[in-house]
């Protein structure tokens, strides 16, 4: 009998990759999308176009407990993946209440639905955590035992969900797990996130469609992986005999500036850095400023460094990242060049 998975956040980067992954594993995949006046299914439209009979989309809202209850009751899934979130850290400072409603209470709504419907012995639950929970890091690299010190409403909300998942696991013997995922990117990353902002920005400059790219803290260091690798880890977490929590990371760290250099090299763009701190700028071969920093893109409280230790995941899940940061950047750039070229032809 085919397993059934329910994915909250299926229209996002991780949700779309996870849907593809589970369909290849012969799952029936149910996804939840919010009712919106604009189409927001572009990341999963290709699955529909393939006429996949095991793929279903449902309207729902993670902040609406009745909506969540109804979906869990109708579908009665074997596995639930909560990937839905207001996931932009900077935006969480602007709309903290909404961020908390989705990222904190949304997780609680799912856990309570599983319990109240008597599915606590049937359903396996995965909660998408984040390295932002570590925030002002108290040790490096960060492991499953590193204390949290979140530095944004996003990080704080995710800490609530993390501990609520553990509380329901210990209180009601539910198979409920946390994946503490470090930064993971892909061509499906939203254009407001820094890696995608860099790849599409430099691609536009390369093609003469844009003169300059404005960024925030280029000295921030992150542990970057590929979303394709990370959704496999999410699935593996729910295939274990006992529920547990895992750090999912590459164990390697790069600054935003270093990522820029990787992208520029891939685009055959020779750039030179001059200046220090907020005044550091990147110049092209013709001595034009193509990258500069602006404090308005800094967070109210910055997270300077995040570096994960995936030893536990490697040992227990037998998981390891396959795609390097250079390969990731190359894939993102090629995708952005293809999109820009296609848009140019449509004009």
């Amino acid at each position: 009998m085919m397993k059934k998975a329910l994915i909250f956040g299926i229209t996002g980067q991780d949700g779309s990759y996870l849907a593809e992954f589970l369909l290849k594993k012969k799952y029936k995949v149910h996804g939840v999308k919010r009712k919106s006046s604009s189409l927001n299914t572009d990341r999963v439209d290709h699955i529909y176009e393939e006429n996949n009979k095991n793929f279903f989309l449902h309207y729902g809202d993670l902040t609406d407990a009745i909506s969540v209850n109804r979906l869990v009751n109708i579908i009665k899934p074997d596995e639930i993946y909560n990937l839905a979130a207001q996931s932009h850290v900077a935006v969480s400072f602007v709309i903290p209440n909404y961020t908390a409603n989705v990222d904190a209470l949304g997780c609680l709504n799912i856990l309570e639905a599983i319990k109240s419907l008597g599915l606590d012995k049937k359903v396996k639950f995965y909660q998408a955590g984040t390295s932002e929970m570590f925030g002002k890091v108290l040790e490096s690299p960060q492991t499953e035992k590193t204390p949290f010190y979140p530095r944004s409403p996003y990080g704080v909300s995710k800490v609530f969900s993390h501990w609520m998942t553990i509380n329901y696991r210990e209180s009601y013997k539910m198979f409920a797990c946390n994946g503490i995922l470090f930064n993971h990117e892909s061509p499906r990353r939203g254009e407001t996130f820094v890696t995608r902002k860099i790849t599409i920005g430099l691609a536009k400059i390369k093609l003469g469609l844009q003169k300059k790219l404005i960024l925030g803290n280029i000295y921030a260091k992150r542990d970057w992986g590929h979303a394709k690798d990370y959704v496999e880890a999410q699935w593996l977490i729910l295939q274990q005999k006992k529920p547990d929590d895992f750090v999912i990371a590459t164990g390697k760290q790069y600054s935003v500036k270093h990522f820029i250099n990787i992208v520029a090299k891939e685009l055959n763009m020779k750039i030179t850095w001059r200046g220090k701190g907020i005044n550091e700028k990147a110049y092209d071969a013709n001595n034009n400023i193509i990258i500069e920093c602006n404090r308005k893109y800094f967070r109210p409280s910055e997270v300077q460094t995040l570096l994960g230790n995936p030893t536990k995941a490697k040992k227990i899940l037998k998981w390891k990242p396959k795609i390097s940061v250079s390969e990731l950047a190359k894939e993102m750039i090629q995708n952005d060049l293809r999109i820009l070229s296609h848009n140019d032809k449509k004009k």
Side-chain angles (χ1 to χ4, degrees), residues 212-228:
K212 191 185 297 184
L213 177 61
I214 312 296
L215 297 170
N217 183 6
I218 62 172
Y219 303 118
K221 294 179 179 179
R222 293 293 184 268
D223 183 328
W224 277 303
H226 197 298
K228 273 187 181 178

Side-chain angles (χ1 to χ4, degrees), residues 96-108:
N97 289 58
Y98 176 76
T99 301
N101 280 335
V102 177
D103 299 4
L105 297 181
C107 171
L108 178 57

Side-chain angles (χ1 to χ4, degrees), residues 215 283 311 343:
L215 297 170
Y283 295 78
T311 299
N343 291 342

Side-chain angles (χ1 to χ4, degrees), residues 299-315:
R299 304 174 186 177
S301 52
E302 281 287 321
V303 173
Q304 285 298 125
T305 179
L306 291 171
L307 174 62
N309 181 346
T311 299
K312 182 179 175 181
K314 288 181 177 180
K315 182 179 179 181

Side-chain angles (χ1 to χ4, degrees), residues 86-95 152-154 297-300:
Q86 190 302 100
S87 58
H88 200 286
V89 177
V91 172
S92 76
F93 286 99
V94 181
I95 49 172
S152 66
Y154 170 68
Y297 292 112
F298 279 59
R299 304 174 186 177

Side-chain angles (χ1 to χ4, degrees), residues 121-182:
K121 298 300 182 285
K122 168 185 168 59
V123 175
K124 292 184 175 183
F125 174 70
Y126 170 83
Q127 167 60 23
T130 168
S131 57
E132 289 290 335
M133 297 189 296
F134 295 119
K136 189 177 180 180
V137 297
L138 299 177
E139 66 178 16
S140 194
Q142 294 86 59
T143 72
E144 292 80 5
K145 295 182 179 180
T146 302
F148 297 133
Y149 195 146
R151 298 271 282 171
S152 66
Y154 170 68
V156 172
S157 300
K158 285 290 191 175
V159 169
F160 174 96
S161 291
H162 178 92
W163 282 110
M164 194 59 74
T165 298
I166 293 173
N167 184 260
Y168 270 67
R169 178 170 77 215
E170 295 179 348
S171 300
Y172 307 112
K173 310 306 177 188
M174 289 172 56
F175 198 107
C177 309
N178 291 291
I180 307 173
L181 273 60
F182 280 65

Side-chain angles (χ1 to χ4, degrees), residues 226 262 322-332 334:
H226 197 298
I262 292 172
K322 303 180 184 73
I323 303 169
S324 70
V325 69
S326 296
E327 291 168 327
L328 165 67
K330 184 176 181 178
E331 185 183 342
M332 292 175 71
Q334 289 176 343

Side-chain angles (χ1 to χ4, degrees), residues 103-114:
D103 299 4
L105 297 181
C107 171
L108 178 57
N109 286 338
I110 300 174
L111 290 166
E112 189 59 23
I114 295 170

